[in-house]
């Protein structure tokens, strides 16, 4: 059984190597981190615990088709931290059997053997502004057990300390595609001029990277869905 917070789509992927990809989302409950700026705190802070559904793999796939029809062949498993959930392997197998690719994002704090079967695996180590202490020994171990051709790294940047952490992560894993993503500090339900505020922050990060010869082989991206829909859930 898999603890599911929400299933929605089709929409676009907003982050990492699959940015812009048409996809369905399965958002699971539970996380081992408590990031200060998490935009999905409802998956772990108990505020929406009544919405958690314990679902079988078949139930999840049935609901994906009920919502998305035949208008998708890609599913993103999000959270929370889906890597905590052992049974997700059965969902990945079913989706592949139904000719769907599968993407997943995790902070790299837990390894599951089924992660080797993910088509696009975004590992997102958490920078200092998160308030979390990313265990790099565990991160090294997780990455070492995965196929490097399926992994990309992404670090969210809010400030200079985060930027230096991103640089450290990039050079620690130079063989992996690396994404610097501008952080979203505006998490209220309604944010005045949210898109323009995020674009200004995005431009600042771009300018920082363009002047840095230690960051020549990185991608600088926004959180695309927030530019379009601000902090709205279910898109």
């Amino acid at each position: 059984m898999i603890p599911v917070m929400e299933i929605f789509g089709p929409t676009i992927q907003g982050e990492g190597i699959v940015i812009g990809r048409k996809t369905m989302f399965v958002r699971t409950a539970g996380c081992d981190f408590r990031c200060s700026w998490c935009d999905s705190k409802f998956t772990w802070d108990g505020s929406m615990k009544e919405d958690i559904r314990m679902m079988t793999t078949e139930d999840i796939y049935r609901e994906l088709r009920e919502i998305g029809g035949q208008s998708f062949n890609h599913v993103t498993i999000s959270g929370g931290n889906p890597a905590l959930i052992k049974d997700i392997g059965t969902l990945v197998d079913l989706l592949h059997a139904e000719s769907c690719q599968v993407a997943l994002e995790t902070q790299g704090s837990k390894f599951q053997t089924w992660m080797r079967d993910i088509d696009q695996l975004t590992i997102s180590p958490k920078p200092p502004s998160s308030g979390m202490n990313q265990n790099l020994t565990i991160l090294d171990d997780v990455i070492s057990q995965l196929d490097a051709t399926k992994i990309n790294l992404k670090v969210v940047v809010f400030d200079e300390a985060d930027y230096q952490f991103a640089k450290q992560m990039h050079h620690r894993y130079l063989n992996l595609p690396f994404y610097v993503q501008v952080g979203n500090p505006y998490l209220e339900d309604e944010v005045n001029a949210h898109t323009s505020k995020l674009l200004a922050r995005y431009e600042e990060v771009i300018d920082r990277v363009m002047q840095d010869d230690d960051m020549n082989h990185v991608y600088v991206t926004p959180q695309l869905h927030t530019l379009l829909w601000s902090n709205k859930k279910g898109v």
Side-chain angles (χ1 to χ4, degrees), residues 58 122 148 181:
E58 292 75 17
T122 297
Q181 180 179 295

Side-chain angles (χ1 to χ4, degrees), residues 44-62:
W44 50 261
D45 68 1
S47 62
M48 295 181 64
K49 62 182 179 181
E50 68 280 358
D51 292 337
I52 299 172
R53 293 179 291 161
M54 300 303 297
M55 301 180 70
T56 66
T57 291
E58 292 75 17
D59 289 339
I60 293 171
Y61 181 72
R62 187 179 305 112

Side-chain angles (χ1 to χ4, degrees), residues 35-46:
C35 295
S36 61
W37 35 253
C38 178
D39 58 4
S40 303
K41 288 183 178 180
F42 60 92
T43 63
W44 50 261
D45 68 1

Side-chain angles (χ1 to χ4, degrees), residues 35-230:
C35 295
S36 61
W37 35 253
C38 178
D39 58 4
S40 303
K41 288 183 178 180
F42 60 92
T43 63
W44 50 261
D45 68 1
S47 62
M48 295 181 64
K49 62 182 179 181
E50 68 280 358
D51 292 337
I52 299 172
R53 293 179 291 161
M54 300 303 297
M55 301 180 70
T56 66
T57 291
E58 292 75 17
D59 289 339
I60 293 171
Y61 181 72
R62 187 179 305 112
E63 187 162 321
L64 283 166
R65 286 300 177 195
E66 288 173 355
I67 296 171
Q70 297 301 313
S71 296
F72 71 92
N73 61 5
H74 189 275
V75 176
T76 298
I77 303 172
S78 184
N81 183 10
L84 300 177
I85 304 168
K86 184 176 181 179
D87 289 344
I88 283 181
T90 61
L91 177 60
V92 175
D93 290 343
L94 176 57
L95 290 170
H96 282 160
E98 296 294 338
S99 300
C100 291
Q101 287 195 331
V102 185
L104 180 134
E105 181 172 331
T106 176
Q107 61 263 44
S109 59
K110 175 75 173 179
F111 174 76
Q112 301 275 4
T113 55
W114 56 258
M115 290 166 63
R116 294 178 177 140
D117 298 322
I118 297 295
D119 298 291
Q120 300 100 22
L121 177 56
T122 297
I123 297 180
S124 184
K126 303 310 178 188
S129 66
S130 70
M132 295 293 101
N133 180 23
Q134 185 81 45
N135 187 317
L136 298 185
T137 301
I138 293 176
L139 181 62
D140 287 343
D141 182 63
V142 169
I143 289 175
S144 71
Q145 298 185 71
L146 296 166
D147 181 351
T149 65
K150 295 183 177 182
I151 307 172
N152 68 102
L153 290 183
K154 183 200 75 182
V155 173
V156 178
V157 170
F158 285 83
D159 54 31
E160 181 61 22
D162 288 357
Y163 182 80
Q164 294 302 323
F165 177 82
K167 186 184 296 190
Q168 176 190 2
M169 292 299 96
H170 174 44
H171 285 270
R172 192 178 185 94
Y173 309 105
L174 274 173
N175 63 315
L176 299 177
F178 192 85
Y179 291 76
V180 178
Q181 180 179 295
V182 64
N184 172 24
Y186 316 109
L187 299 178
E188 307 93 299
D189 289 338
E190 298 291 336
V191 182
N192 185 45
H194 197 188
T195 296
S196 61
K197 289 177 179 177
L198 290 175
L199 285 174
R201 294 178 61 85
Y202 182 36
E203 186 173 8
E204 290 175 3
V205 176
I206 289 174
D207 289 343
R208 184 72 176 85
V209 172
M210 296 308 107
Q211 299 167 20
D212 190 345
D213 58 10
D214 284 331
M215 297 286 268
N216 287 348
H217 193 57
V218 304
Y219 302 85
V220 188
T221 59
Q223 195 180 35
L224 186 56
H225 55 285
T226 60
L227 293 182
L228 294 169
W229 300 299
S230 190

